[in-house]
Amino acid sequence: MGNIKIIKGVFDTKLELEHAEVAAGFPINIDYSHETLDFNRDYIKHPEASFYGDVEGDSMIDAGIFDGDRVIIDRAVEPHDGSIVVAWWGGEGFTMKYLDLTHKNEGYIELRPANDEYPVFKIDTPEYFEVWGVVIHVIRTLEKI
């Protein structure tokens, strides 16, 4: 099924980086701006409700989330149909999937993977289910240093 390990983050330390545009097509001249990027200010809207999650598994690869990625989860964000959520279900632990609310009027919702090799989970027993938080950012390490 794939798992996600939840880690409480410390979001009060400021990390500021200079901002520069990077071309992914034709080369451009780089003009360093005086604007700074502060991860806490720019990416963490609710520090008291934000967590990191380390992704284990490949059920969300078609959403661009891969094994080994780190995600930022915000528990204060209200999930909607199509949100990528971290959910607790059936005593199995946490899983990360798309939230599908299109069948809510029929008495169930679905958790949908972003990989056709995994099943869709039909949730019709709400007492064994909780949307724990919404995935708002993905962090991927391309090269370990």
Side-chain angles (χ1 to χ4, degrees), residues 1-2 57-61 97 113-121:
M1 169 162 73
D58 61 355
S59 71
M60 295 302 289
I61 59 172
K97 302 285 183 278
N115 182 337
D116 291 337
E117 295 181 18
Y118 288 84
V120 173
F121 299 124

Side-chain angles (χ1 to χ4, degrees), residues 100-110 121-125:
D100 182 345
L101 300 175
T102 58
H103 301 283
K104 195 170 184 178
N105 290 339
E106 300 167 51
Y108 69 95
I109 62 173
E110 293 179 334
F121 299 124
K122 181 178 177 180
I123 312 296
D124 55 6
T125 52

Side-chain angles (χ1 to χ4, degrees), residues 95-143:
T95 188
M96 181 175 48
K97 302 285 183 278
Y98 283 114
L99 181 64
D100 182 345
L101 300 175
T102 58
H103 301 283
K104 195 170 184 178
N105 290 339
E106 300 167 51
Y108 69 95
I109 62 173
E110 293 179 334
L111 292 177
R112 297 190 159 276
N115 182 337
D116 291 337
E117 295 181 18
Y118 288 84
V120 173
F121 299 124
K122 181 178 177 180
I123 312 296
D124 55 6
T125 52
E127 63 271 15
Y128 296 109
F129 173 77
E130 176 187 359
V131 172
W132 193 80
V134 177
V135 174
I136 55 169
H137 299 290
V138 179
I139 302 168
R140 176 169 303 122
T141 300
L142 300 177
E143 189 168 330

Side-chain angles (χ1 to χ4, degrees), residues 8-133:
K8 180 63 180 160
V10 177
F11 299 107
D12 57 358
T13 303
K14 290 191 176 210
L15 174 62
E16 294 189 3
L17 303 173
E18 290 293 324
H19 172 92
E21 291 183 16
V22 178
F26 293 106
I28 61 171
N29 290 327
I30 294 178
D31 177 27
Y32 288 99
S33 171
H34 293 288
E35 181 181 342
T36 59
L37 171 67
D38 180 327
F39 280 86
N40 294 312
R41 178 194 68 217
D42 298 334
Y43 292 100
I44 308 299
K45 299 301 180 204
H46 307 105
E48 67 288 344
S50 294
F51 293 80
Y52 293 111
D54 287 337
V55 177
E56 298 175 1
D58 61 355
S59 71
M60 295 302 289
I61 59 172
D62 291 339
I65 303 173
F66 297 92
D67 184 69
D69 285 351
R70 180 164 280 175
V71 293
I72 300 175
I73 306 153
D74 192 329
R75 296 194 72 194
V77 172
E78 188 70 31
H80 58 80
D81 185 53
S83 290
I84 296 176
V85 299
V86 173
W88 177 87
W89 177 52
E92 297 289 324
F94 293 104
T95 188
M96 181 175 48
K97 302 285 183 278
Y98 283 114
L99 181 64
D100 182 345
L101 300 175
T102 58
H103 301 283
K104 195 170 184 178
N105 290 339
E106 300 167 51
Y108 69 95
I109 62 173
E110 293 179 334
L111 292 177
R112 297 190 159 276
N115 182 337
D116 291 337
E117 295 181 18
Y118 288 84
V120 173
F121 299 124
K122 181 178 177 180
I123 312 296
D124 55 6
T125 52
E127 63 271 15
Y128 296 109
F129 173 77
E130 176 187 359
V131 172
W132 193 80

